[in-house]
Amino acid sequence: MVIFSKLIGKKVIGANAYMLGEVTGADVDTEKWQVTHLHVSLADEATRELGFRKPFLGSVIVCLPINLILATGDVISLNKSIKELKNVVEPKEHR
């Protein structure tokens, strides 16, 4: 089991070792008490690769379904490459 507070600030890496961003929060299903999505603040290059416009201040935050997580350790590794993520991620907010 992983304590969620330890995930905040962890780097998120795609399947091809592409730096996606870092964890800023999560969505929780309160009926099942399960995390369903991670909120990831995108790195500038990932923002461009995924086709989002970088805000003047802050960053784009996307929701990643937890089924994309391959492993959690010093970093969070995903099972999809940046190109595969284009069809999966959706922006949550600008911050």
Side-chain angles (χ1 to χ4, degrees):
M1 176 159 49
V2 176
I3 298 171
F4 178 74
S5 62
K6 295 191 183 239
L7 295 177
I8 300 294
K10 284 207 183 259
K11 304 291 183 204
V12 180
I13 308 293
N16 54 355
Y18 188 90
M19 171 59 175
L20 191 65
E22 69 180 48
V23 176
T24 59
D27 288 338
V28 177
D29 178 342
T30 55
E31 290 182 15
K32 297 179 182 176
W33 289 102
Q34 292 179 335
V35 174
T36 59
H37 293 79
L38 290 181
H39 301 174
V40 176
S41 175
L42 294 178
D44 291 348
E45 190 174 330
T47 299
R48 286 188 297 277
E49 275 291 319
L50 291 171
F52 298 120
R53 285 188 60 213
K54 181 176 176 351
F56 182 70
L57 298 173
S59 60
V60 174
I61 297 179
V62 295
C63 291
L64 290 179
I66 60 166
N67 65 344
L68 299 179
I69 298 173
L70 181 62
T72 302
D74 291 337
V75 297
I76 296 173
S77 301
L78 302 179
N79 60 10
K80 302 250 186 245
S81 70
I82 190 75
K83 291 183 183 191
E84 294 170 313
L85 289 174
K86 285 184 179 182
N87 300 324
V88 178
V89 298
E90 52 189 62
K92 176 158 183 64
E93 61 185 64
H94 295 283
R95 173 178 108 147

